Amino acid sequence: MGDKIRVTVWNEGRHEKTNATVKKVYPKGMHKAIADYLKTQPDMTVRTATLDDPDHGLTDKVIHTTDVLLWWGHMAHHEVRDDIVDKVHQRVLDGMGIICLHSAHFSKIFRKLMGSGCGLKWREAGEKERLWVVRPGHPIVEGIGEYIELPHTEMYGEIFDIPQPDELIFISWFQGGEVFRSGCCWQRGAGKVFYFRPGHETFPIYYDEKIRMVLANAVRWAKPVKSFAPYTTHYQPLEPLPASE
Ligand code: ZN
């Protein structure tokens, strides 16, 4: 089935090993929770990779046979090898989609793709979040309705130090009063980038039905566009040009 979208779910995977609460919420790790859902989608083939795998599970072969990469990291961003970040970055420019989740806002790959600091405000109080859809009709929000409500989340607040998104999909409201650009799209080279905020490790957010729908929708949106022509090339004129004197 050559037409299936080849998805790799990458997870740092450290909280699940060291924190009992996280282990209870995600016994097999967040990557497995996300991958198990995406595997139910008939148009996707799904692999997982983690920081502690050889080459972080991101060998050249894996990178070059991935159409869409999901990335979750938090406490060990600095342990991700720069040469692998460079390869993932190049692959995005060449057309691979990437979906950066939650605390991946501070990952090396997201910051490299954004070219800005990517800082934000945060608070871990388990408060309510409502993600408002501000781009109805976009493929990422197909089937989502007006908003997604999460009863307990970590707060992320503006200002989020990112370049202006090409498309803004969600704005979050938090019980404590802050707002946040929770779903943002960019194009980098031939590749699509989606940042999606929900997913703090101590809350069962990746089991939420609507959050899962957004992830599957985002994978479909971010898959490489096959017709994208090479654009870095010396170019002959399409029409005859007047001879220069
Ligand atoms: Zn968090």
Side-chain angles (χ1 to χ4, degrees):
M1 297 294 282
D3 290 326
K4 289 198 181 192
I5 307 168
R6 300 165 299 175
V7 181
T8 302
V9 183
W10 190 89
N11 181 18
E12 176 185 288
R14 288 287 174 79
H15 290 292
E16 293 93 328
K17 291 179 182 170
T18 55
N19 180 314
T21 308
V22 179
K23 218 180 276 186
K24 208 170 160 192
V25 179
Y26 294 108
K28 294 188 291 174
M30 275 178 276
H31 51 300
K32 293 285 186 196
I34 293 168
D36 284 350
Y37 173 73
L38 294 178
K39 280 177 185 171
T40 68
Q41 306 299 299
D43 54 342
M44 299 177 195
T45 58
V46 185
R47 292 179 289 202
T48 61
T50 68
L51 178 66
D52 292 331
D53 296 338
D55 294 324
H56 310 327
L58 297 173
T59 59
D60 290 2
K61 189 173 176 211
V62 169
I63 291 172
H64 288 281
T65 54
T66 296
D67 294 319
V68 181
L69 177 65
L70 290 89
W71 192 282
W72 197 102
H74 181 228
M75 63 191 282
H77 293 315
H78 61 284
E79 290 183 45
V80 178
R81 268 167 42 201
D82 291 334
D83 63 310
I84 292 177
V85 173
D86 289 346
K87 286 179 197 173
V88 170
H89 181 257
Q90 185 59 49
R91 175 85 177 116
V92 172
L93 299 184
D94 292 340
M96 179 180 74
I98 187 165
I99 299 169
C100 293
L101 298 168
H102 189 60
S103 41
H105 72 90
F106 256 168
S107 63
K108 286 181 180 175
I109 182 62
F110 186 67
R111 293 170 77 176
K112 190 174 171 84
L113 286 162
M114 294 296 108
S116 62
C118 300
L120 47 78
K121 298 188 179 81
W122 79 95
R123 172 175 63 239
E124 221 182 310
E127 67 207 86
K128 187 195 222 174
E129 173 181 8
R130 196 174 288 124
L131 294 100
W132 289 95
V133 172
V134 293
R135 189 77 165 79
H138 193 280
I140 289 179
V141 292
E142 190 172 336
I144 298 304
E146 259 191 303
Y147 57 80
I148 301 173
E149 208 165 86
L150 297 170
H152 304 290
T153 62
E154 177 186 22
M155 185 282 294
Y156 277 9
E158 296 283 346
I159 293 170
F160 186 16
D161 179 18
I162 48 172
Q164 203 64 250
D166 298 338
E167 292 179 301
L168 180 58
I169 310 297
F170 289 104
I171 295 177
S172 281
W173 162 92
F174 293 89
Q175 211 169 345
E178 295 81 5
V179 295
F180 191 75
R181 288 168 289 172
S182 278
C184 304
C185 300
W186 297 268
Q187 176 113 13
R188 290 291 181 267
K192 291 175 177 172
V193 182
F194 182 52
Y195 173 79
F196 190 46
R197 193 209 86 83
H200 187 64
E201 65 275 6
T202 56
F203 301 115
I205 286 166
Y206 294 126
Y207 300 111
D208 182 276
E209 199 52 41
K210 283 192 176 180
I211 296 296
R212 291 176 146 188
M213 283 169 72
V214 170
L215 294 178
N217 288 343
V219 165
R220 292 189 185 99
W221 168 83
K223 74 177 179 191
V225 176
K226 296 268 192 277
S227 61
F228 204 98
Y231 51 93
T232 306
T233 175
H234 182 257
Y235 209 62
Q236 295 302 328
L238 299 182
E239 318 294 340
L241 295 177
S244 52
E245 295 295 313

